[in-house]
Amino acid sequence: MMSSFLKGRRHFTRILSTNPKFPPKLSAISSPSLESNQNPCALLPHIQNPSRVLQVCVFSTQFPEYEMPSVTWGVVQGRKEKLVSRVIICDYLKSLGIVTDELESLELPSTVEVMRERVEFLQRLGLSIDDINEYPLMLGCSVRKNLIPVLGYLEKIGIQKSKLGEFVKNYPQVLHASVVVELVPVVKFLRGLDVEKEDIGYVLLKYPEILGFKLEGTMSTSVAYLVSIGVNPRDIGPMVTQYPYFLGMRVGTVIKPLVDYLVSLGLPKKILARVLEKRAYILGYDLEETVKPNVECLKSFGIRREALASVIAQYPQIIGLPLKAKLSSQQYFFNLKLKIDPEGFAQVMEKMPQIVSLSQNVIIKPVEFFLGRGIPSPDVAKMVVKCPQLLALRADRMKNSYYFFKTEMGRPLQELVEFPEYFTYSLESRIKPRYHRLQSEGIRTSLNWFLNCSDQRFEERLRGDYIETERLGPSFCMGGKLELPGSEIVSDEEEESDNEVLYRRTVSL
């Protein structure tokens, strides 16, 4: 080791004595002083231009592959040089329109060339000067140490190169992150929640701030609480993909108060868990500013308190809508065009709350269809109040069902007024097969008797194994397969718990 040091000092001496660019006073330094135990760096104060010496000085060892790199004054600057460089760089940034006020405490590069490289890199990424001014601290990120590694990793996990600029605009703090220490663990956490690999980029684009969360903090707590109220752990991944923002919500101040309030309205936790699995965005509704006012609004329009749970289960989005304006508009329309009074409108809302978001052009078509078939306006109003699902049916489906009713069955229109649910059943899979069975058996019954039951119960009725008094079932489950956009097929089973009945009534637009 000592031998290597002495060789280095001799090399230092040769450079000083042979370089013609050094002044005479420098070259006159005698080599014996270097041969002594004196540290060669002690000579630097006597050198007129020490930066020149440091630029060319290379300390060699006996192993060439371990040669130490050149030490340049561009990296090791004195206080004065740093201040001068900062002023020059700030002037350059100001000439581009960048506000430098927030850069006072930021360590800037040593040269304008390095800063220009950073600015041009960010601009090629798609950021404007205004974007940089929104978060000027990004100018403290090295292109090679920060920008390229971070952006390369983001592209690797599924964020398209064309969207990297948008991502950085939305969350510029990511440029300061360590790929290994901060980014990789978050991505692994999301994968552990069953978020599909191809959905990771989509999730991060929707909610980039998630990359800055602590794994053992809010995210884990939110997931644990939702699972505790009945959310299936396998559904957490799809929930994150649909609405990742709930991972950043505090349980004690946001999620739990909302859950507790909905449960207090009569919505069982089991049903609420099923609702959240498919409508995770409900967790984003503000309890005090949106949810509670909307519930009070429903009450003010005649919705009974005991029906609130059913209304929310059927159409969860209703607690997040600008509800008062929508209800006022629809109630007026029903009264004016359909001759349905506010009390009847409240009944319609309890049975099919999606009405509040249904276009009035869609609503009026079934009404005109019935009026055109000679059914009086008061009777049409009764049909709608009894079975609001009529208002969401397609005209061609209604025409086919009506034609079969008139030509094949030959029944009076009054039966349709009494049992408007007839139009909600499939003509090919239920009405025709069951009617033909009755014809072959020589049985004549009401529409309700042979349509409003499961296949098993229908067979029992035909055999006489099941005796019951004829009664109308609840209108919300008539038809079983109401074809609304995004609706779910409703089961025909008749014996089930109150919670299951409530869940069956969930028909979402």
Side-chain angles (χ1 to χ4, degrees):
M1 181 66 77
M2 179 61 70
S3 173
S4 299
F5 178 74
L6 292 175
K7 287 181 180 179
R9 290 199 301 181
R10 293 190 192 102
H11 186 62
F12 180 86
T13 305
R14 284 199 301 273
I15 294 173
L16 295 181
S17 60
T18 59
N19 196 320
K21 293 184 180 180
F22 292 141
K25 188 180 291 186
L26 178 61
S27 60
I29 297 176
S30 61
S31 59
S33 64
L34 292 177
E35 294 294 336
S36 66
N37 293 330
Q38 181 183 0
N39 190 327
C41 294
L43 297 174
L44 292 180
H46 304 290
I47 299 174
Q48 291 182 348
N49 190 357
S51 63
R52 177 78 63 181
V53 175
L54 290 176
Q55 285 176 345
V56 298
C57 186
V58 178
F59 291 92
S60 301
T61 68
Q62 57 182 339
F63 303 106
E65 62 269 24
Y66 292 108
E67 281 191 358
M68 297 181 66
S70 299
V71 180
T72 64
W73 198 255
V75 176
V76 183
Q77 285 183 315
R79 185 179 178 187
K80 285 185 178 180
E81 287 79 359
K82 286 184 177 180
L83 290 175
V84 171
S85 296
R86 176 174 286 274
V87 170
I88 294 173
I89 290 172
C90 286
D91 287 343
Y92 163 70
L93 294 175
K94 289 176 183 178
S95 69
L96 299 177
I98 296 174
V99 180
T100 60
D101 297 347
E102 294 185 34
L103 303 180
E104 293 180 0
S105 60
L106 189 69
E107 184 176 350
L108 299 179
S110 57
T111 65
V112 173
E113 287 72 19
V114 176
M115 180 57 75
R116 181 181 293 111
E117 181 187 21
R118 294 183 186 181
V119 173
E120 291 176 352
F121 184 94
L122 293 171
Q123 289 178 323
R124 287 196 302 272
L125 196 63
L127 274 66
S128 65
I129 297 299
D130 289 337
D131 295 326
I132 296 175
N133 280 329
E134 286 291 323
Y135 189 76
L137 297 181
M138 69 176 69
L139 295 175
C141 297
S142 166
V143 172
R144 290 162 184 80
K145 294 179 180 179
N146 299 99
L147 304 184
I148 291 177
V150 168
L151 297 175
Y153 179 71
L154 293 176
E155 187 176 356
K156 177 182 176 182
I157 61 178
I159 298 178
Q160 297 176 8
K161 193 171 185 178
S162 60
K163 294 184 178 180
L164 286 175
E166 176 190 347
F167 187 91
V168 172
K169 289 179 188 179
N170 294 332
Y171 186 59
Q173 294 88 339
V174 73
L175 298 178
H176 300 286
S178 163
V179 172
V180 175
V181 177
E182 296 171 279
L183 304 187
V184 171
V186 172
V187 172
K188 287 184 176 179
F189 178 81
L190 294 175
R191 292 287 290 123
L193 295 178
D194 283 341
V195 177
E196 298 293 337
K197 187 176 181 179
E198 58 269 21
D199 291 332
I200 293 292
Y202 173 75
V203 169
L204 294 180
L205 278 173
K206 287 182 73 173
Y207 193 34
E209 290 85 355
I210 201 174
L211 290 173
F213 291 160
K214 299 291 184 183
L215 302 185
E216 67 278 4
T218 305
M219 290 198 293
S220 298
T221 307
S222 301
V223 172
Y225 177 76
L226 291 173
V227 171
S228 74
I229 66 171
V231 172
N232 190 329
R234 292 180 176 272
D235 288 314
I236 293 293
M239 288 175 65
V240 171
T241 303
Q242 178 195 121
Y243 190 75
Y245 308 100
F246 77 83
L247 292 176
M249 296 177 179
R250 294 189 176 276
V251 170
T253 57
V254 180
I255 300 179
K256 188 176 185 299
L258 177 63
V259 169
D260 290 344
Y261 178 72
L262 295 177
V263 170
S264 72
L265 297 177
L267 195 63
K269 280 188 178 181
K270 179 181 178 182
I271 305 305
L272 180 56
R274 302 290 83 77
V275 169
L276 292 178
E277 287 170 1
K278 298 182 179 181
R279 305 281 184 273
Y281 53 81
I282 291 171
L283 293 169
Y285 294 159
D286 188 277
L287 178 59
E288 299 298 332
E289 295 185 8
T290 305
V291 178
K292 287 184 177 180
N294 277 352
V295 170
E296 293 303 316
C297 181
L298 288 170
K299 292 179 183 178
S300 69
F301 276 83
I303 309 301
R304 295 167 299 141
R305 194 186 190 287
E306 56 268 27
L308 288 173
S310 173
V311 168
I312 295 172
Q314 292 181 75
Y315 190 43
Q317 299 95 310
I318 200 169
I319 59 176
L321 297 174
L323 196 54
K324 188 173 182 179
K326 286 180 171 290
L327 283 175
S328 298
S329 174
Q330 293 294 60
Q331 187 188 66
Y332 177 78
F333 177 77
F334 270 63
N335 194 18
L336 180 66
K337 297 293 185 180
L338 280 64
K339 309 304 178 185
I340 296 176
D341 58 20
E343 183 179 352
F345 178 73
Q347 296 178 43
V348 169
M349 281 294 300
E350 289 182 4
K351 295 173 183 175
M352 187 180 171
Q354 294 90 342
I355 285 292
V356 71
S357 298
L358 206 57
S359 167
Q360 293 177 356
N361 291 331
V362 173
I363 292 173
I364 199 65
K365 289 180 180 179
V367 174
E368 293 175 342
F369 173 84
F370 292 126
L371 292 175
R373 267 61 185 179
I375 301 177
S377 180
D379 287 342
V380 173
K382 290 178 183 178
M383 294 170 69
V384 170
V385 171
K386 193 173 183 182
C387 183
Q389 287 83 354
L390 294 174
L391 300 179
L393 296 178
R394 298 194 303 268
D396 57 342
R397 173 175 174 171
M398 296 178 68
K399 287 179 181 178
N400 293 336
S401 296
Y402 179 79
Y403 180 80
F404 183 81
F405 176 84
K406 288 296 293 180
T407 59
E408 296 291 327
M409 300 174 71
R411 298 190 175 214
L413 284 177
Q414 188 59 32
E415 286 200 47
L416 291 179
V417 176
E418 294 173 358
F419 191 71
E421 294 87 348
Y422 166 83
F423 289 98
T424 67
Y425 293 99
S426 169
L427 178 62
E428 298 299 329
S429 64
R430 175 164 295 197
I431 297 176
K432 283 185 177 181
R434 292 192 181 184
Y435 176 73
H436 291 150
R437 283 289 306 279
L438 291 176
Q439 289 291 91
S440 65
E441 299 287 341
I443 300 173
R444 180 177 178 83
T445 68
S446 67
L447 296 175
N448 175 57
W449 189 89
F450 78 89
L451 291 177
N452 185 27
C453 61
S454 64
D455 290 338
Q456 179 182 352
R457 186 56 52 84
F458 177 69
E459 294 296 331
E460 290 174 352
R461 287 175 175 177
L462 287 181
R463 296 194 306 265
D465 295 338
Y466 182 80
I467 301 174
E468 61 181 345
T469 57
E470 190 169 299
R471 59 182 175 83
L472 293 180
S475 61
F476 66 80
C477 65
M478 294 299 178
K481 299 181 181 178
L482 179 59
E483 295 182 4
L484 293 177
S487 67
E488 299 171 12
I489 296 177
V490 181
S491 171
D492 292 314
E493 294 298 324
E494 296 180 4
E495 296 178 1
E496 50 196 353
S497 66
D498 292 341
N499 285 355
E500 290 169 334
V501 170
L502 183 58
Y503 185 54
R504 276 185 53 206
R505 294 175 68 170
T506 304
V507 182
S508 56
L509 283 175

